[in-house]
Amino acid sequence: MEVFGNVLDQLTNYLMTMTVSDYVDIILIAYIIYRVVMFIRKTNSRNIAIGALIFVIVLWLSEVTKLTMVNTLMRKAVELGLIALLILFQPELRRMLERMGSSLTDGRYSQGTDIESAIDETVSACADMSYAHTGALIVFVRSVSINHVLSTGTLVNSDTTAELIKNIFFVKAPLHDGALVIQNCRIAAAGCVLPLTQNKNLSKELGTRHRAGIGMSEQSDAVVVIVSEETGAISVAVDGNLKRHLSQEELRSVLRKELVIDEENVSKYDSMMKFVRKLMLLDDGREDRR
């Protein structure tokens, strides 16, 4: 117990000496580690990560055991390997940086804008298409641009209405096979081709439409609504995760949560940022007095 008490006292003393900068430093490192782990999971590069870990362990052992030649060769391999990894994972790294940048800006819309109408019209159309077992794939663009996807379809540039959405996905319509993209609360394009997810752990029940929706949500911060042609089930894909078998009201709730800014939360966020700035100023003052 005495040893435990000493350790607890040392930990308490250490925490008392930490400044705001130290806490920010720890949070940033934790966030970077989290993003790296998520990057490995979403790119299915676990084997590469395990191989890199083994390589690092062998490099450390070669340094500990004084194997100078092996250590030198492996250090050179690390320098070349970093460049090779940057080239190999260039698309994935670019998407990760885009997502990190988008996380600093809220891609949702303010209350009272046309997004409320767009959500209501989309929910109404999806309810009707679900009843009729009409397949649909609808992408709501947030802060990450998907112009490369828009270029694969037919530009529409129209108000978002339930009747137009249902007409586009009508079985005999020329654009029913692709995705419909809603950007800035308007239907920007239809018949768009979406990237398929590379996640091999998905249920075999999910077809191409669901895999395309998940793939789009992995590569951007878009919110994707999917209506199954086989079962009529409504699903929503966000950040690579799929919420299935949603009712009409559940769909409305999910879309509002992901697309509409809660003004109360915005005010709380602003208050928190002001409080952090005050702490930083106090911390700077303490540093000056030292």
Side-chain angles (χ1 to χ4, degrees):
M1 290 297 295
E2 185 178 351
V3 175
F4 178 76
N6 292 334
V7 172
L8 187 61
D9 290 338
Q10 291 178 1
L11 179 61
T12 303
N13 292 334
Y14 177 73
L15 291 175
M16 292 295 291
T17 59
M18 290 180 64
T19 63
V20 174
S21 299
D22 295 324
Y23 288 109
V24 172
D25 197 22
I26 293 171
I27 292 171
L28 287 175
I29 293 298
Y31 178 74
I32 291 172
I33 293 173
Y34 167 76
R35 296 304 303 187
V36 169
V37 171
M38 293 302 296
F39 173 73
I40 292 171
R41 288 184 59 188
K42 290 186 176 181
T43 56
N44 295 316
S45 53
R46 296 177 186 175
N47 291 335
I48 295 176
I50 292 171
L53 180 61
I54 293 173
F55 189 90
V56 170
I57 292 173
V58 173
L59 177 62
W60 173 74
L61 288 174
S62 67
E63 186 170 353
V64 171
T65 55
K66 307 298 183 182
L67 299 176
T68 307
M69 184 70 73
V70 174
N71 186 261
T72 302
L73 289 174
M74 295 192 74
R75 285 184 179 277
K76 293 296 182 183
V78 168
E79 295 175 5
L80 296 175
L82 290 174
I83 298 174
L85 286 175
L86 289 175
I87 296 173
L88 184 63
F89 289 105
Q90 186 268 337
E92 288 82 0
L93 288 171
R94 178 179 177 180
R95 286 194 294 269
M96 184 179 71
L97 291 173
E98 284 180 345
R99 296 295 297 275
M100 289 175 66
S102 67
S103 65
L104 299 177
T105 59
D106 200 323
R108 294 177 295 174
Y109 300 84
S110 299
Q111 290 180 336
T113 62
D114 294 336
I115 190 60
E116 301 276 1
S117 174
I119 290 174
D120 290 339
E121 295 292 329
T122 300
V123 170
S124 176
C126 287
D128 291 342
M129 291 187 292
S130 173
Y131 181 78
H133 284 218
T134 301
L137 190 56
I138 303 171
V139 180
F140 282 89
V141 180
R142 291 200 283 187
S143 56
V144 175
S145 173
I146 59 169
N147 289 334
H148 62 290
V149 171
L150 291 173
S151 63
T152 64
T154 301
L155 297 181
V156 178
N157 191 23
S158 168
D159 292 337
T160 302
T161 64
E163 292 304 319
L164 180 56
I165 293 174
K166 289 188 289 185
N167 283 335
I168 288 174
F169 288 111
F170 179 65
V171 177
K172 295 184 179 180
L175 301 176
H176 80 279
D177 266 341
L180 181 150
V181 177
I182 296 177
Q183 183 172 260
N184 296 326
C185 308
R186 293 173 61 82
I187 298 177
C192 298
V193 179
L194 304 186
L196 298 179
T197 179
Q198 299 301 314
N199 189 345
K200 297 179 181 179
N201 298 321
L202 295 176
S203 171
K204 293 183 179 179
E205 298 177 2
L206 301 178
T208 305
R209 185 175 284 112
H210 288 83
R211 293 178 183 275
I214 295 171
M216 187 74 261
S217 71
E218 287 174 342
Q219 296 193 15
S220 72
D221 64 346
V223 179
V224 187
V225 181
I226 307 127
V227 180
S228 172
E229 186 175 354
E230 289 76 18
T231 64
I234 301 174
S235 306
V236 175
V238 182
D239 293 329
N241 299 312
L242 188 66
K243 299 177 182 178
R244 303 180 64 188
H245 304 291
L246 300 177
S247 66
Q248 184 174 349
E249 288 307 314
E250 286 173 336
L251 174 61
R252 190 190 311 276
S253 176
V254 170
L255 291 180
R256 283 188 55 82
K257 177 183 176 183
E258 299 294 340
L259 297 172
V260 181
I261 297 175
D262 187 342
E263 299 297 340
E264 182 180 351
N265 289 338
V266 171
S267 61
K268 288 180 180 178
Y269 174 79
D270 291 339
S271 300
M272 182 183 69
M273 292 304 296
K274 290 178 181 177
F275 178 70
V276 171
R277 292 191 192 100
K278 288 180 180 178
L279 285 178
M280 294 297 288
L281 289 173
L282 289 173
D283 187 53
D284 291 341
R286 238 185 340 176
E287 291 289 339
D288 291 339
R289 286 194 296 271
R290 289 177 188 173

